[in-house]
Amino acid sequence: MRFPNLKPKQPDSAEVPASQPSHHDLELKRLCKDRDTRWYAGHLLKLNLVLFFLLITSASNGYDGSMMNSLQTLSYWQDYFGNPSGGLLGLLNAIQNLGNLAGLPFAPFLNDRYGRRWTLFLGCIVMILATIIQSASQNLGMFLVGRFLIGFGNSWASIAGPILLTELAFPTHRAPITSLYNSMWYLGSIIAAWTTFGTLNIQSTWSWRIPSIVQGVPPLVQAVVVWFIPESPRWLLDHDQAVKARRVISKWHCEGVDTDPLVDFEFTEIQTALALEKEAARTTTYMDLFKNKGNIRRFRVIIALAFFSQWSGNGIVSYYLTIVLNGIGITETFEQNLLNGCLQIYNLITAVIGALTVEKAGRRVLFLTSTGGMCLSYMVWTILSATYNAQATEFDASGNPLNGPQSIGNGVIAVIFIYYGFYNIAMSPLIVSYTVEILPFRIRSKGLMVFQICVSFSLVFNQFVNPVALQAIQWRYYIVYTIWLAFEFIYLFFTVVETKGKHGMALPLEEISRLFDGDDAEVDLLDQGVVPGAAGDRRASDGTLLDGGVGLEKKGSQERGEIEQVEAVPAQGEKRF
């Protein structure tokens, strides 16, 4: 990749003086000024409790990764499936992501045609059935089929869940709550780690069947609760259900007060975006994802983040912690499971901290701090592992050192925790939320699918290569990740665009479009000279109605940066909601 200079340069549209925040940014701040927008206040607590159940989708992913990590420490699981290692062990981990890849092509169609709730529900049903097969496995083939189907169903849920979460969240809560989505991976991993720790002493195959059964609980909960979650108002408006969309905004964001100005603000924001996007492209294909400079800017970051999120060295510990600990002389099953459980709790805490500091720190700062810190951590990790290996005098049959200095082994464990602290402040909370927020509505589902495919490809490669490489070259494999992390830092330094709003406010999803598309932005909202109405109708900058239907009438002036006030004016025969 060619970098023209050493100074990170935002897209042209982002080069706006800090003294000129967007109209939407200021208007949203004005509307929220005299209302209680704390996440636990009144009706917003009810909304956020409902949205919590959408976070479970990410927890299901975390459960699977941590469960497979823990099962490798159980003798009954190892004996039952013939002590898998190398490529076979990689297949057991990778098969879930192969199922994910198989299911992803169907996800955008379901999500856009039948809605976010139905897509999430169907994905959960597939995962429940798959968990039954996996838990009842009588041989390796049956276990593999169950894991493949878990990934297949999860692909649908992982598309619908974060999109519905983003589109339902209260405007000022959108960034932190969507950032929490990927952070909840660790909630699932905590449950899996400690469930397996609890079944450690069961002297039968139930020691691994019970954790497998528990894997079906999150999708079961979601399959029931999803019908108590409203459908996305964006999807409803896109399917000509304006009345229902307005009711959702009114009920969940404004305590059912339909006359609240915030209802009009959000309704018009969504309405305007959809109208302009439909006017720009009546149909959307996958070619649209890469057909203009704005989308190329988006996907050079999105695709990179998808691979970076899995190729930053985290896959070694997430799926093969047992091998890592064997390399520093920690071979007892009890100790390995205890460390895994404690690491997952620590991971959840640091990931949540990262999610809650998104708006204050900004995306760019967190990404660069994360990759820079991980690179330094891996460097120290490599040096300590090499020293431990060099000072050991006894080795097991696999070549793992048995009696290196305990202090150095403890140092490796400490560095693993430090490494994950840096990983979790950005790579856990931001990769999904940042992807969703920079994608325009009309390509959001397809764009997220591309992201998920890239994540799955990177995971499949990781899960096959990591155990083979660790077995072959042991601690020397860490050098590869140290160099790669340095590359990640440089790449993100030149490509990540900051999407944090002015005055501590989150930019609206539609306003973010201008950061990438510049003068060619399909969504310009109140900054446009042409402002569409409810039916996609337009008025020129002087207020002249260009199409029949609903228009937006100007009622004030715009002096000294004041916000232009507009109100909906129903045309003849048009019903005001």
Side-chain angles (χ1 to χ4, degrees), residues 320-333:
Y320 304 107
L321 179 61
T322 300
I323 299 176
V324 173
L325 295 178
N326 286 340
I328 54 173
I330 299 176
T331 58
E332 292 295 327
T333 301

Side-chain angles (χ1 to χ4, degrees), residues 68 83 86 118 267 290 384 401 548 555:
M68 287 305 299
N83 295 294
W118 268 106
F267 189 82
F290 306 97
L384 290 176
K555 291 193 65 182

Side-chain angles (χ1 to χ4, degrees), residues 17 292 346:
N292 59 55
Y346 168 81

Side-chain angles (χ1 to χ4, degrees), residues 151-193:
F152 191 93
N154 183 262
S155 68
W156 297 357
S158 64
I159 289 291
I163 290 178
L164 183 57
L165 181 71
T166 299
E167 295 173 349
L168 284 177
F170 190 76
T172 59
H173 298 168
R174 192 190 76 242
I177 200 167
T178 54
S179 296
L180 282 172
Y181 173 82
N182 216 45
S183 302
M184 288 299 106
W185 194 95
Y186 291 122
L187 177 62
S189 68
I190 287 172
I191 297 172

Side-chain angles (χ1 to χ4, degrees), residues 36-53:
D36 192 347
T37 59
R38 292 173 297 177
W39 68 269
Y40 53 85
H43 67 289
L44 293 181
L45 175 60
K46 180 180 178 182
L47 170 65
N48 290 322
L49 287 175
V50 167
L51 296 183
F52 171 79
F53 288 98

Side-chain angles (χ1 to χ4, degrees), residues 298-312 427 431 451 454 484 487-488 491-492 495:
R298 290 181 177 94
F299 280 95
R300 72 182 182 183
V301 178
I302 290 172
I303 292 174
L305 287 176
F307 282 94
F308 292 173
S309 70
Q310 307 305 322
W311 286 2
S312 294
M427 293 300 182
I431 57 168
F451 170 82
C454 291
W484 178 258
F487 166 77
E488 286 186 10
Y491 186 93
L492 294 179
T495 57

Side-chain angles (χ1 to χ4, degrees), residues 214-419:
V214 174
Q215 188 172 8
V217 174
L220 178 62
V221 171
Q222 278 194 306
V224 174
V225 176
V226 69
W227 303 113
F228 297 93
I229 301 174
E231 183 55 90
S232 161
R234 294 173 188 270
W235 185 86
L236 291 170
L237 264 175
D238 196 41
H239 288 73
D240 301 319
Q241 299 182 54
V243 175
K244 290 183 179 178
R246 190 175 178 91
R247 284 175 183 166
V248 170
I249 298 171
S250 172
K251 176 180 178 180
W252 294 95
H253 290 185
C254 302
E255 293 189 273
V257 181
D258 189 63
T259 56
D260 191 315
L262 184 59
V263 177
D264 293 327
F265 175 85
E266 291 192 60
F267 189 82
T268 302
E269 176 187 76
I270 299 170
Q271 195 176 54
T272 302
L274 292 176
L276 287 170
E277 287 165 354
K278 287 181 178 180
E279 185 176 347
R282 296 297 177 184
T283 59
T284 303
T285 67
Y286 284 99
M287 292 301 296
D288 293 329
L289 303 184
F290 306 97
K291 71 187 301 184
N292 59 55
K293 291 182 179 179
N295 284 346
I296 290 173
R297 290 189 185 111
R298 290 181 177 94
F299 280 95
R300 72 182 182 183
V301 178
I302 290 172
I303 292 174
L305 287 176
F307 282 94
F308 292 173
S309 70
Q310 307 305 322
W311 286 2
S312 294
N314 53 305
I316 290 179
V317 176
S318 294
Y319 291 92
Y320 304 107
L321 179 61
T322 300
I323 299 176
V324 173
L325 295 178
N326 286 340
I328 54 173
I330 299 176
T331 58
E332 292 295 327
T333 301
F334 179 87
E335 289 182 78
Q336 290 182 347
N337 276 278
L338 182 62
L339 280 171
N340 186 33
C342 293
L343 180 61
Q344 304 314 320
I345 294 174
Y346 168 81
N347 284 341
L348 177 62
I349 294 171
T350 52
V352 170
I353 291 173
L356 297 179
T357 57
V358 167
E359 284 307 315
K360 291 184 179 180
R363 286 73 163 159
R364 182 177 171 81
V365 170
L366 289 177
F367 275 127
L368 295 180
T369 302
S370 176
T371 50
M374 286 190 291
C375 183
L376 293 175
S377 299
Y378 244 93
M379 190 182 302
V380 176
W381 183 353
T382 303
I383 293 171
L384 290 176
S385 296
T387 304
Y388 185 91
N389 188 82
Q391 295 186 19
T393 58
E394 296 180 13
F395 298 84
D396 64 16
S398 299
N400 293 311
L402 297 175
N403 64 340
Q406 185 176 350
S407 59
I408 295 178
N410 292 338
V412 171
I413 294 173
V415 171
I416 289 175
F417 276 79
I418 293 170
Y419 160 83

